[in-house]
């Protein structure tokens, strides 16, 4: 339990220097974001990618925008094309970039122009172990994360892997913006608990918008 956080105003909470939780920021756009996910997955279906170490990720992923994040035996990389279909990653739905740009501005990062959106889909039991996002060339741009569907426990670590992560619930419609001194913070998602969300049923989605190039 984190009574300190529950007591806070979640509408604009600075988690760490440069990192802002914007609780419910994307609630009004949630339906448009979910429609966007449907369009994207019709062209580039969700798939469980393989880690460089040969394990299958529990989170299913797809991408949209000019650059898409992938992992395989060959490592982590951004590609122009979906390796499964051979086609360019689908266009980024207007609503994705628009919400991300507004969220970044609210957190103090002007003129954020993402060229990559990783779409993560969690089923109960799926998790994302502690990691840094460091495959992007330009680390001066922030990262915007938009949560949809079932709530999840966000693991919020430090600047080294050794720090024990704090835990924070992310809910449907929440936005988190990470930039400046928080850009390389270790983070992850704990094992997703089962549930039945009014809009997404048994699933959680996360959109991670980045400037990759
Ligand atoms: C903190 N996704 O795809 S979003 C990822 O909910 C990823 O699917 C999670 O981590 C998810 O790489 C967490 C929150 C997040 C995203 C990027 C960050 C937190 C971050 C970058 C730096 C620091
Ligand atoms: Fe990440």
């Amino acid at each position: 339990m984190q009574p300190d956080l529950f007591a806070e105003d979640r509408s604009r909470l600075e988690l760490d220097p440069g990192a802002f939780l914007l609780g419910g920021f994307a609630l009004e756009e949630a339906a448009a974001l979910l429609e966007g996910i449907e369009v994207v997955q019709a062209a580039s279906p969700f798939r469980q990618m393989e880690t460089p170490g040969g394990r299958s990720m529990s989170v299913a992923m797809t991408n949209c925008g000019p650059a898409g994040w992938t992992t395989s035996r060959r490592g982590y990389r951004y590609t122009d094309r979906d390796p499964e279909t051979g086609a360019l990653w689908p266009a980024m739905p207007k609503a994705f970039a628009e919400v991300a740009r507004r969220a970044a501005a609210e957190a103090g990062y002007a003129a954020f122009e993402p060229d990559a959106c990783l779409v993560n889909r969690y089923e109960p039991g799926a998790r994302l172990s502690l990691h840094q996002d460091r495959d992007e060339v330009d680390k001066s741009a922030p990262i915007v994360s938009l949560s949809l569907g079932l709530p999840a426990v966000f693991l919020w670590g430090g600047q080294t892997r050794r720090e024990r992560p704090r835990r924070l619930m992310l809910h449907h419609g929440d936005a988190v913006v990470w930039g400046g001194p928080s850009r390389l913070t270790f983070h992850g998602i704990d094992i997703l608990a089962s549930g039945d969300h009014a809009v997404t049923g048994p699933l959680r989605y996360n959109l991670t918008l980045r400037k990759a190039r």
Side-chain angles (χ1 to χ4, degrees), residues 118 120 122 128 131 133 143 145 154 178 182-183 185 187 189 204 206 208 210:
L118 174 64
N120 292 338
Y122 294 76
L128 197 60
H131 67 279
D133 288 16
I143 291 180
S145 146
F154 177 65
W178 307 82
S182 287
R183 174 64 182 74
T185 299
H187 61 279
I189 295 288
R204 171 179 189 261
N206 182 265
T208 306
R210 308 187 176 109

Side-chain angles (χ1 to χ4, degrees), residues 19 59 61 69 118-122 128-129 131-133 136 142-147 152 154-156 170 176-179 182-189 204-210:
V59 179
M61 299 177 165
W69 186 87
L118 174 64
V119 187
N120 292 338
R121 186 186 71 192
Y122 294 76
L128 197 60
S129 57
H131 67 279
Q132 290 174 298
D133 288 16
E136 301 72 31
I143 291 180
V144 175
S145 146
L146 305 173
S147 290
F154 177 65
L155 304 172
W156 157 33
L170 291 181
V176 192
V177 183
W178 307 82
S182 287
R183 174 64 182 74
L184 293 174
T185 299
F186 278 90
H187 61 279
I189 295 288
R204 171 179 189 261
Y205 295 100
N206 182 265
L207 305 178
T208 306
L209 292 114
R210 308 187 176 109

Side-chain angles (χ1 to χ4, degrees), residues 5-53:
L5 281 178
F6 290 140
E8 297 273 357
D9 173 8
R10 290 180 87 259
S11 71
R12 188 173 184 281
L13 185 59
E14 190 164 21
L15 298 173
D16 263 339
F20 293 85
L21 168 64
L22 309 175
F25 185 86
L27 269 180
E28 282 180 21
E29 292 85 8
L33 297 176
L34 287 162
E35 280 169 34
I37 292 172
E38 290 308 312
V39 172
V40 168
Q41 74 162 316
S44 276
F46 283 102
R47 81 292 306 265
Q48 287 175 269
M49 297 181 188
E50 198 178 15
T51 66

Side-chain angles (χ1 to χ4, degrees), residues 51-64:
T51 66
R55 285 213 274 256
S56 169
M57 295 191 73
S58 59
V59 179
M61 299 177 165
T62 185
N63 289 277
C64 58

